[in-house]
Amino acid sequence: METSGRIATTPDALDFTVENVEKGLHQLYYDPNIENKNLAQKWLMQAQVSPQAWQFCWALLSPDKVPEIQYFGASALHTKISRYWSDIPSDQYETLKTQLFSQIACFSSGSKMVLTRLCVALASLALNTMPEVWPGAVPEMVRVFQEEGGGVDGRARCLALLELLTVLPEEFQTSRMPQYRKGQVRGALGREWGSVCPLLQQLLRQGDSPGAVKSRVLRCLSSWVLLDVPLSESEGLVEDCFTALPDPELFDTAVEAIVNAISQPDSQRYVNTLLKLVPQVLSLQEQLREAVQNGDMETSHGICRIAVALGENHSRALLEQVEHWQGFLALVNMIMFCTGIPGHYPVNETTSSLTLTFWYTLQDDIMSFDCERQAVYLQVYRPVYFQLVDVLLHKAQFPSDQEYASWSSDEKEQFRIYRVDISDTLMYVYEMLGAELLSNLYEKLGRILTNTEQASSWQHTEALLYGFQSIAETIDVNYSDVIPGLIGLLLRININNVQLADTVMFTIGALAEWLADHPVMLSSVLPLVLQALGNPDLSISSVSTLKKICRECKYDLPPYASNIVAVSREVLSKQIHKTSQCMWLMQALGFLLSALHVEEILRNLHSLITPYIQQLEKLADETPNPSNKLAIIHILGLLSNLFTTLDISKQEDESGESTAPPVKTAPLPPGPNPVVVVLQQVFALIQTVLSKWLNDSQVVEAVCAIFEKSVKTLLHDFAPMVSQLSEMLGQMYSTIPQASALDLTRQMVHIFARETDHFPPIKALFDLVTSVTLSIFQQGPRDHPDIVDSFMQLQAQALKRKPDLFLSESLDVKAVFHCGLLSLKFPEAPTVKSTCLFFTELLPRCSDVPPVARVVQENGKLLLQAVLEAIGGGSSRSLMEQFAEVLFSLNKHCFPLLTVWLKEALQAQGFPSTRVTTEQKDTFTQQILRERVNKRRMKDIVKEFTLVCRGLHGTEYAAEYCL
Amino acid sequence: MAYQLYRNTTLGNSLQESLDELIQTQQITPQLALQVLLQFDKAINTALANRVRNRVNFKGSLNTYRFCDNVWTFVLNDVEFREVTDLVKVDKVKIVACDGKNTGNAAE
């Protein structure tokens, strides 16, 4: 083993001899040391592509070697033929071919894996030489293997031939050849089908063919049909596949072959063949029923795949054959049987899910006919789709509680997914069946809920409601007249099960938009929702339903507001819900309060948040520890979520009929906004909290979130708090800098920087956070990529909204510029993006902001160098567009300087990459300087150049890169 | 055939960045990187087709649409996305959609 270890490491390692290869293989397979294995692997890969491979591969195939060694020989042979074809002089093609034939003959009764590799090698040779050099490759293969001799028995030769014929199309599919050549070879292979087809047919029909041969024939057929051989020509063979289906040994391969043949895109052209296939598929119904009865899932699955393949791929063609409508309808019914296959998915069956896409396809095809024909088809197929709804809702039913409890969590998740798929199908089917579908569901629900003689199962009720919910969730059910009745029925349901209760809740939620148009019904459903709110098991469904109702129906909710607030307060204080549901609940209350009068809002707000304020006061007094931190963040979160949706500015414009998104220009009610009133009241408290938690980024983030959400909703209403908040932000940031404070500052700059009244506090804040951040840069900014990111965004925003901020004496523009240069080299992509944005906003200001012009003039070359370095390979390739934007901006706003800088920067040897030549750099320079209008073009130039710099230019990998 | 559109996702971009780096430092060949990328296409297509069933509803006004090379593109304005819990409003959305059935085949 030591000697073999030497192979991969010593200078004579490149001596690719048979012995060394064998030693290398031994090392690869048996050396316990993983490093030696890796070395051996690397060495063997080199050996495989070396010129010597042509010699040693034959020796490795010698009969006295073990299969692992023979396999490597065969594999090397394939690599050489497929990738180094041009090595072979054309006068040696024939010898190589003969040698391969004889090796395949030898191995036809030897190792299967070696045989397959050799077949692939010969297939590759055939693909390289057909059709000119080796016309009639397939007949020759057939002839060679049919000749007696070599001491190999006929059956083994036959199997070897079939293996060869199977891998030939597969090798074609995976081989990489130029497009024109691919077309040529495909055509040649298509012609070869004429020789393959009779052979396969003969072997399949011979009564005495062994199962192994027949199975191989079916695999071979599967492989050839993928080449788009005309269905009319493979028709006979496909029929033979049907005859093979009852044979368990051949079942799987026969199914595969049939499905492949039917699913070929081209097969729709052969309508007559398709029509002949319909009765064949129908004849499988008996076998299908038997399999279902015996619980034979493999067989039912296979037959279903065949039926679905025919229906899904050819429903349009078959529907158009009007005179054969009964046959197609029978096929549809067969698929319906598969959809409704007995048992619960996924525990007792997995077949039904295969059929769902068929129903979409069939519906699309029917609906795409012109009105007149569509009406005819609908007469036949509407009843079918009504039946489908019944079947699907039956399949969507939960199993008995006991059975469900025995399912694994994975099975439960699969079942949930399956129900979502059913729900999607129902929603789609509604497009065809319309409001009648809802009436139909309603009648069924009514029947089971009012039947006093026979108690119905909760599963049945739940499934019907689930159907309703699936449709109402996405489709406007306004014109259905059954919804009031449905709500009446909802109240009658004896809710004795969590799943049922959940579905009741979600159904009410799905009707929220309808309720907005029919507010009179709110009084019926609200008690149900409020009651469910107190049940922790229904947390998600009840809270989300309340949120939907509050969002959609807020203008009709004022009479119920105090009740909703009271119940919400209670469940919040009892801590029934998890944090995220509490947040949703606050959002719901925000919507609810938005529609009240200001004094009502204030009254409710106080009653709602006073307990939290008191709690927060208490927490603020305590010594910081992990548990009171969570409590503080929770309370701050509740407030932010409340203020996210509490928006009185929409009162005016949304009460109108307008469907356009609200524009916040409506006159506001007199007096301060209630949110501002509350914020001002709690401001001191928040400051106290902050003073203790200033170095905790999560608490600071939660505080910033309150104001960020409020500013977003209040916009200019927030004005009274601008100076207060600016001061607080400044204090916060100068004590412990946090990214969230910068983000909030950016928002303030965005909204208020242009307003004369607010400019002074904003300017003071901007100057302060900038100088604090500059000092972070002096200490080393690498630990704070988030702060740097937010800082660059803030600077970009300032340049965009109020460039005057850069005129300030107290702002060190040069230092900010240098910070940008440092940030460009960060490994964090978002930070680099923000920095590029900063520079693209900065450069246009050269014309109107003198300090900026000065800094760019003096330091612009450094920026250019940093950009070139990034393009040269220093930064991720996904950022090249951003760097191209900076270059473009330099070109547009500093052209004379850029010309000089580019020349100077690119003069340096090996800059920006050792892979680019001086000529390439010159071309790049010329291209860049020429491009002052077309940004897209600039991006292309940069992308091209970066590939050259990275050694990726011209590789297939780079061509595949999608950015 | 596995679609390549998921290369332009956070996950896909990170993978490509790593592959780029490995090529630049000559630790792998571009050919191997390409194989990894193709494997990524397969895996993400299968995973998204078979393992995700979250549902988001949205509505908005259709600005433009096209169907080219089996790819649907829709540009929507003033779109509201509704998940069970949340409502998000967006001014402009571009939706690129391909036939999921093909990816199912690729998975086999």
Side-chain angles (χ1 to χ4, degrees), chain A residues 355-365 385 421 424-426 428:
Chain A
T355 63
L356 297 180
T357 15
F358 163 73
W359 297 108
Y360 286 87
T361 315
L362 177 63
Q363 182 179 334
D364 278 345
D365 288 334
Y385 272 86
D421 286 346
D424 288 342
T425 315
L426 287 172
Y428 202 66

Side-chain angles (χ1 to χ4, degrees), chain A residues 851-913:
Chain A
V852 169
R854 242 187 337 268
V855 169
V856 171
Q857 192 153 22
E858 286 162 15
N859 303 279
K861 190 180 159 193
L862 293 174
L863 170 63
L864 177 71
Q865 274 170 333
V867 169
L868 289 174
E869 211 176 299
I871 297 172
S875 270
S876 159
R877 204 146 50 97
S878 60
L879 292 167
M880 289 307 117
E881 295 216 347
Q882 280 74 22
F883 283 105
E885 297 239 8
V886 180
L887 261 188
F888 187 75
S889 203
L890 274 170
N891 207 14
K892 202 167 169 186
H893 302 286
C894 322
F895 181 73
L897 290 166
L898 179 68
T899 319
V900 183
W901 292 338
L902 258 177
K903 204 172 161 210
E904 287 172 4
L906 288 175
Q907 241 169 15
Q909 275 289 318
F911 182 84
S913 156

Side-chain angles (χ1 to χ4, degrees), chain A residues 176 305 312 357 361 416-417 420-421 423-424 427 473-474 506 513 544 547-548 551-552 584 587 650 654 661-662 829 873 876-878 915 950 952 955-957 960-963, chain B residues 4-8 13 15-17 19-20 23-26 30-31 33-35 37-38 41 50-55 57 59 78 80 82-87 89 101 108:
Chain A
R176 300 181 176 275
R305 276 185 65 200
E312 211 172 82
T357 15
T361 315
R416 184 190 70 82
I417 289 173
V420 174
D421 286 346
S423 166
D424 288 342
M427 182 176 82
E473 201 171 61
T474 36
F506 283 127
E513 278 180 77
S544 74
K547 189 179 152 187
K548 280 183 187 171
R551 184 173 64 206
E552 301 299 332
W584 303 350
Q587 290 181 19
K650 291 182 188 172
E654 264 202 3
S876 159
R877 204 146 50 97
S878 60
R915 291 190 178 87
R950 291 164 201 255
L952 292 173
T955 63
E956 203 170 350
Y957 168 71
E960 290 256 331
Y961 199 93
C962 70
L963 286 171
Chain B
Q4 300 180 352
L5 76 163
Y6 303 112
R7 289 182 187 182
N8 203 0
N13 282 333
L15 174 66
Q16 290 176 88
E17 254 178 61
L19 290 173
D20 270 18
I23 297 174
Q24 269 168 262
T25 51
Q26 299 187 330
Q31 289 89 330
L34 177 62
Q35 290 310 313
L37 212 48
L38 294 172
D41 293 335
N50 299 322
R51 292 164 59 174
V52 182
R53 281 300 185 286
N54 294 32
R55 183 149 60 165
N57 297 321
K59 61 180 175 192
D78 305 325
E80 280 184 18
R82 278 159 196 262
E83 217 208 339
V84 183
T85 56
D86 271 313
L87 177 102
K89 292 183 182 174
K101 252 199 275 173
E108 285 166 17

Side-chain angles (χ1 to χ4, degrees), chain A residues 698-771:
Chain A
Q698 280 171 297
V699 176
V700 172
E701 222 167 84
V703 168
C704 288
I706 295 187
F707 293 105
E708 208 182 319
K709 299 275 164 72
S710 317
V711 172
K712 252 185 206 160
T713 328
L714 296 169
L715 296 178
H716 294 278
D717 265 6
F718 191 81
M721 297 202 62
V722 170
S723 66
Q724 227 175 341
L725 182 61
S726 302
E727 201 180 318
M728 188 179 92
L729 269 176
Q731 283 167 7
M732 257 165 72
Y733 195 74
S734 33
T735 321
I736 306 273
Q738 309 265 14
S740 46
L742 288 177
D743 294 337
L744 185 51
T745 306
R746 175 166 50 92
Q747 207 160 21
M748 303 269 283
V749 168
H750 180 65
I751 301 172
F752 297 107
R754 281 190 185 170
E755 288 177 25
T756 330
D757 292 351
H758 299 302
F759 184 69
I762 296 284
K763 180 182 172 296
L765 174 62
F766 182 76
D767 286 352
L768 180 64
V769 294
T770 303
S771 80

Side-chain angles (χ1 to χ4, degrees), chain A residues 153-174:
Chain A
D153 73 87
R155 186 178 157 210
R157 269 188 283 120
C158 177
L159 285 174
L161 171 63
L162 286 171
E163 184 66 24
L164 178 58
L165 292 178
T166 306
V167 299
L168 186 61
E170 287 170 0
E171 179 66 8
F172 170 75
Q173 307 275 18
T174 51

